[in-house]
Amino acid sequence: MMLERVKKMSKKIIIVGGVAAGPKVAAKIMRNCPEDSVTVIERGEFLSYAGCGLPYYVSGVVKEQKELMSTPVGVVRDAAFFQKVKNFTVRNHTNATEIDRVNKTLKIESADGEEVLSYDKLVLCTGASPVIPPIPGRELDGVYKLHGVEDAEGIKEKLATGKALDCVVVGGGLIGVEMTESLVAMGCRVTMVEMLEHTLPILDSEMAILTEKHMEAKGVRVMTSTTVKSIEGNGKVEKVVTDKGEIQADMVILSIGVRPNVELAKGCGLEIGSTGAIHVNDKMQTSDENIYSAGDCVESKNLVTGKGCFIPLGSTANKQGRVAANNICGIDDSFPGVVGSSVCKVFDFTVARTGLTEKQAIEAGYDVEFCIAPAPDKAHFMPEAKPLFLKLIADKATRKVLGAQAVGLGEGDKRINAVAMAIHTGMTVDQFAQVDLCYAPPFSPAVDNILSAANVLRNKLDGTMKGIKPAEVKSWIDQGKEFTFLDNRSPAEYSDVHLKDTLNIPLGAMKGRMSEIPKDKPVVAFCKISLRGYEAALMLKAAGYEDVYVMDGGVLVWPYEKIMG
């Protein structure tokens, strides 16, 4: 990109929305084209704040409100800051109500009345709004959402009274689980209610179960496959009624999700995408060449499927804002799309994902293979090593990496970031397994966790390993299917904790005790993480056993009952 390509003719640019994408567009335009006139219209009071930091403000990790809207050096990004430092105008407490595309004007409303502004280029950064389901009682005192600074202040004020001890979080998505941690940190008893079979829809079920069990270990009551029927109380919240019973509550947080704010775009006839968000091209132009859009109101392209997707994130909003600003200034730039990378903190667990889940990949028409690979996130002999569970997903036909998930106490985000790069570049599992990642014992095993996962997945794709999910093994047990459930751990490990109806033959004893394993029924081998189970399966196959499986993830990812020694 060459700044010499910037057109020097002054333009009048209006940006609707002043939280994430809007200020990014404005600041970049003023860097590129200081001769332009830029005005940002914001309906609220607060500008350019970190919405993703709100749960941490509620819990007190972020001490002051101003920290959410400050620069890294502590300067508050308010209207005066943008005027003096960034050289553009912000008009907050102002609503944009109507776009006239023919005359290139925008009608606005404020305390001073109505006004019509003309523009050369218009940028819609109208964001998204929380989904508020039509639950009877949602208007009661003590029912909150968490979508802005005002919402956070209301929750903090309620918590400060000391009378919000029993809290119900409705919705188990990213904000819901982060808010749950914040409430527990403030001394609340929390129940999470999720309508779907599992919380955290960014994960597949077996990974979500690990997270749910971790929340329960921290004192959270998790109710999945549960529908809220009503919120009841005399003027204020007293209980939540679900299809599985009543829950006492002093406070309710509605965290169902968000939907894009597209009313302004719809009103002037701009094209809306299949997801319900504003359709844009890779230049961030709408169906009107003089109107751009960025942020949580915009539909993105999923780089794996090639289809439209709605994944609202502050990181995406800022990247899109830069692209829109460059193109408005005559600098050729493009935003290719997203792969769905996201991460959240669930108490001391890292939960991260990129690309497609197994379920999404199957729904998209891929013939999927996957592996679950638990291991320490550093060299096992390092005292600070922590367990990390990885799931890696690939397409059988092309062997291309489709997605990955990480759950656990270990550092999962850097592994998921590596997979995001692999997906962006179209790597196969075989190529990814050979990537030259950093190694030193304080940082990773000699073969990094994610590369080990890639090698396990290569074994499955090559047919040298036939995996089976813990959930499928459990269904075999429930159905009374006959098979040998072979535990290849040491006697000491088995004595400490084991699964019901298993045959314990340590890997080192396999040759001498193989006669104990029937050949006329399936064998499911496993160990702590199923590495020894894989070795045992190879020995069985070499000895003529035909129906041999390795249980993905081993004992560490078995989500059902375990027998303690």
Side-chain angles (χ1 to χ4, degrees):
M1 259 178 249
M2 300 295 292
L3 288 178
E4 286 73 19
R5 299 171 66 184
V6 176
K7 296 180 180 179
K8 296 300 180 181
M9 186 171 62
S10 176
K11 301 182 293 299
K12 186 182 292 185
I13 299 154
I14 298 176
I15 300 166
V16 182
V19 177
K24 181 68 176 182
V25 175
K28 185 61 178 173
I29 288 174
M30 296 315 297
R31 293 189 192 105
N32 289 343
C33 305
E35 70 280 358
D36 284 348
S37 168
V38 177
T39 301
V40 174
I41 306 297
E42 169 54 43
R43 64 183 177 182
E45 176 183 355
F46 301 102
L47 306 167
S48 195
Y49 63 85
C52 295
L54 291 174
Y56 308 105
Y57 176 53
V58 169
S59 68
V61 172
V62 177
K63 302 298 182 185
E64 297 185 54
Q65 182 193 102
K66 66 179 183 180
E67 294 177 50
L68 295 173
M69 51 198 75
S70 298
T71 67
V73 295
V75 179
V76 176
R77 292 184 292 249
D78 57 13
F81 166 81
F82 287 124
Q83 182 68 66
K84 293 177 181 178
V85 178
K86 301 298 183 181
N87 200 30
F88 62 83
T89 301
V90 174
R91 298 178 63 170
N92 53 358
H93 298 292
T94 303
N95 279 316
T97 59
E98 187 179 340
I99 299 168
D100 182 342
R101 291 167 54 191
V102 175
N103 295 303
K104 296 172 71 174
T105 60
L106 174 71
K107 185 182 290 186
I108 62 173
E109 286 181 352
S110 67
D112 298 326
E114 284 193 348
E115 190 177 347
V116 175
L117 307 177
S118 62
Y119 65 83
D120 294 308
K121 301 292 182 184
L122 178 66
V123 189
L124 301 181
C125 302
T126 47
S129 294
V131 175
I132 307 297
I135 301 172
R138 64 188 180 279
E139 74 287 344
L140 289 172
D141 179 45
V143 179
Y144 300 92
K145 58 187 185 303
L146 185 64
H147 191 68
V149 177
E150 296 90 344
D151 298 329
E153 290 293 358
I155 295 170
K156 282 178 71 72
E157 184 178 341
K158 180 72 172 178
L159 291 171
T161 67
K163 297 178 181 179
L165 293 177
D166 289 297
C167 302
V168 175
V169 176
V170 182
L174 293 174
I175 295 297
V177 297
E178 289 173 342
M179 196 61 218
T180 294
E181 178 185 352
S182 295
L183 293 171
V184 171
M186 296 300 290
C188 298
R189 295 182 291 266
V190 183
T191 299
M192 174 176 286
V193 179
E194 171 57 55
M195 182 175 65
L196 301 176
E197 185 179 359
H198 292 291
T199 61
L200 288 169
I202 65 169
L203 302 175
D204 284 314
S205 60
E206 60 272 7
M207 304 296 277
I209 288 172
L210 293 170
T211 308
E212 290 162 11
K213 287 191 171 295
H214 187 63
M215 287 193 285
E216 289 171 343
K218 298 295 183 179
V220 178
R221 182 186 181 193
V222 180
M223 298 178 65
T224 54
S225 302
T226 303
T227 302
V228 173
K229 296 295 187 181
S230 64
I231 303 169
E232 298 183 1
N234 186 17
K236 62 179 182 179
V237 173
E238 295 175 7
K239 63 182 178 180
V240 175
V241 179
T242 77
D243 59 350
K244 293 183 179 177
E246 298 180 355
I247 309 165
Q248 181 181 333
D250 306 303
M251 181 165 68
V252 175
I253 309 291
L254 299 177
S255 182
I256 312 299
V258 297
R259 60 169 58 97
N261 295 325
V262 298
E263 293 78 11
L264 200 59
K266 277 186 175 179
C268 69
L270 294 179
E271 183 181 349
I272 304 299
S274 59
T275 64
I278 299 170
H279 175 76
V280 292
N281 61 19
D282 63 354
K283 308 299 181 187
M284 304 312 299
Q285 280 179 309
T286 68
S287 51
D288 184 321
E289 64 179 5
N290 293 309
I291 302 178
Y292 292 72
S293 190
D296 290 359
C297 58
V298 163
E299 179 177 273
S300 295
K301 177 183 177 181
N302 187 304
L303 293 177
V304 183
T305 65
K307 297 180 180 178
C309 63
F310 178 61
I311 306 177
L313 289 170
S315 54
T316 301
N318 277 274
K319 285 180 277 191
Q320 292 174 337
R322 178 186 174 94
V323 170
N326 280 337
N327 284 296
I328 287 170
C329 292
I331 301 171
D332 186 35
D333 199 0
S334 62
F335 180 76
V338 298
V339 295
S341 303
S342 56
V343 64
C344 71
K345 180 177 177 291
V346 185
F347 295 96
D348 44 3
F349 259 27
T350 297
V351 175
R353 163 267 180 94
T354 193
L356 304 180
T357 64
E358 180 191 359
K359 179 181 178 183
Q360 290 171 335
I362 292 170
E363 290 173 349
Y366 290 100
D367 187 9
V368 171
E369 188 57 271
F370 73 93
C371 74
I372 299 173
D377 67 336
K378 300 171 177 62
H380 68 277
F381 50 79
M382 297 300 293
E384 65 270 27
K386 296 176 181 178
L388 182 65
F389 304 88
L390 293 171
K391 180 171 183 176
L392 190 61
I393 301 153
D395 173 43
K396 287 183 180 178
T398 64
R399 300 174 74 98
K400 282 190 175 182
V401 179
L402 297 178
Q405 297 157 50
V407 169
L409 297 170
E411 294 183 25
D413 54 337
K414 69 180 183 181
R415 275 83 188 192
I416 295 302
N417 283 338
V419 179
M421 290 298 296
I423 296 173
H424 268 275
T425 56
M427 280 188 176
T428 65
V429 176
D430 311 276
Q431 292 168 328
F432 183 52
Q434 304 300 338
V435 169
D436 187 15
L437 299 181
C438 295
Y439 163 62
F443 300 99
S444 76
V447 179
D448 190 88
N449 300 54
I450 196 63
L451 301 187
S452 290
N455 283 326
V456 173
L457 190 48
R458 292 170 76 191
N459 289 336
K460 294 181 79 171
L461 289 167
D462 292 340
T464 59
M465 172 182 169
K466 187 159 61 171
I468 183 170
K469 288 184 178 182
E472 191 173 352
V473 177
K474 182 65 164 58
S475 72
W476 283 11
I477 294 171
D478 293 342
Q479 295 165 14
K481 180 171 180 173
E482 291 191 6
F483 69 99
T484 301
F485 206 3
L486 179 63
D487 186 336
N488 295 116
R489 295 176 302 150
S490 69
E493 290 175 287
Y494 186 85
S495 177
D496 182 49
V497 60
H498 60 271
L499 309 184
K500 187 178 180 181
D501 297 327
T502 52
L503 173 62
N504 179 220
I505 302 180
L507 182 64
M510 277 291 293
K511 286 186 178 179
R513 296 180 56 187
M514 203 174 290
S515 61
E516 298 176 33
I517 305 169
K519 278 191 173 183
D520 60 349
K521 57 185 178 181
V523 179
V524 176
F526 69 96
C527 59
K528 183 178 181 180
I529 62 173
S530 282
L531 177 59
R532 284 168 287 178
Y534 171 58
E535 296 287 351
L538 292 177
M539 294 170 68
L540 289 168
K541 290 173 71 175
Y545 289 76
E546 296 181 355
D547 205 5
V548 181
Y549 300 81
V550 179
M551 187 171 75
D552 290 291
V555 171
L556 282 182
V557 300
W558 181 261
Y560 311 105
E561 182 183 4
K562 299 175 185 177
I563 300 171
M564 313 305 287

